[in-house]
Amino acid sequence: MSLLNILRYPDARLHKIAKPVTVFDTRLKKLIADMAETMYEAPGVGLAASQVDVHEQLVVIDTSDTGNDLRVFINPQILWASEEKQIYDEGCLSVPGVYDGVERPARVKVRALDADGKPFEVDADGLLAVCIQHEMDHLMGKVFVEYLSPLKRNRIKAKMLKEEREQKRDKQYATR
Ligand code: GNR
Ligand code: NI
């Protein structure tokens, strides 16, 4: 297994649209294992393939307290979303250190394929519902900060670019 590099906002590759998975082979199994390892190590409760620069409709999620309930969603589709909304303080591994409220449907019914290409459905609420919708946004090239006001988004963008500049400078300094 190997850890994958997580793209950081505002990287243009985070806005690419993911294509459906069509081949369920060992390459897919390895990608799922590597994404799970990367998610647990981060640590995070979800990871979309888009975040590791693989633009295919694949998501891993584990919202359990124990970290032993890995769920894999391939080519996910929302079959139903509740009228009722919930506001959840979201974070994202591609926007580290930033948390803000996002309003989404409180409950969703999702259909997806598992790692073997077998269809399944799940009724989700709470954090799982938030996470599924957050990850499916990634597959469509959308990052949660795009739900925030332009003012907040621009502040976040500036903060991320500043951190990027500082990290590059630190790296250069370390090798001199
Ligand atoms: O680890 C994560 N935590 C989280 C918290 C609230 C709402 C959504 C998330 S998903 C995030 C991992 C991530 O960035 N997935 O794309
Ligand atoms: Ni995210």
Side-chain angles (χ1 to χ4, degrees), residues 51 91-93 134-135 138:
Q51 291 178 277
C92 181
L93 295 175
H134 175 115
E135 304 311 340
H138 276 303

Side-chain angles (χ1 to χ4, degrees), residues 2 10 20 29-31 43 62 65 70 98 101 105 107 121 126-127 140 148 163 168-169:
S2 20
K29 298 278 182 357
K30 162 107 170 68
L31 177 58
D62 189 341
D65 297 331
L70 182 69
V98 173
R107 284 170 289 129
E121 288 181 13
L127 176 58
M140 294 184 293
L148 308 178
E163 285 174 7
K168 274 191 194 144
R169 183 167 37 63

Side-chain angles (χ1 to χ4, degrees), residues 28-86:
L28 182 71
K29 298 278 182 357
K30 162 107 170 68
L31 177 58
I32 291 168
D34 289 346
M35 282 177 58
E37 188 187 10
T38 305
M39 173 185 73
Y40 287 120
E41 197 271 342
V45 296
L47 188 69
S50 316
Q51 291 178 277
V52 295
D53 203 21
V54 175
H55 303 283
E56 298 174 31
Q57 294 175 19
L58 165 60
V59 162
V60 293
I61 292 179
D62 189 341
T63 53
S64 71
D65 297 331
T66 41
N68 62 354
D69 187 22
L70 182 69
R71 296 167 192 259
V72 178
F73 295 82
I74 296 170
N75 304 344
Q77 289 189 309
I78 296 202
L79 301 178
W80 173 84
S82 64
E83 291 294 325
E84 186 198 336
K85 313 285 186 202
Q86 67 177 336

Side-chain angles (χ1 to χ4, degrees), residues 105-168:
R107 284 170 289 129
V108 289
K109 185 191 259 298
V110 179
R111 166 176 282 164
L113 305 176
D114 68 15
D116 300 314
K118 196 172 129 242
F120 67 95
E121 288 181 13
V122 56
D123 287 301
D125 62 8
L127 176 58
L128 181 59
V130 173
C131 200
I132 289 172
Q133 294 175 77
H134 175 115
E135 304 311 340
M136 286 180 67
D137 274 349
H138 276 303
L139 300 181
M140 294 184 293
K142 186 159 183 169
V143 180
F144 87 99
V145 298
E146 291 170 64
Y147 290 103
L148 308 178
S149 70
L151 176 66
K152 278 188 180 176
R153 191 164 57 251
N154 284 328
R155 279 184 185 154
I156 291 164
K157 204 179 277 184
K159 178 177 179 263
M160 300 300 296
L161 290 171
K162 180 164 174 272
E163 285 174 7
E164 214 174 285
R165 276 200 309 276
E166 286 170 354
Q167 278 185 354
K168 274 191 194 144

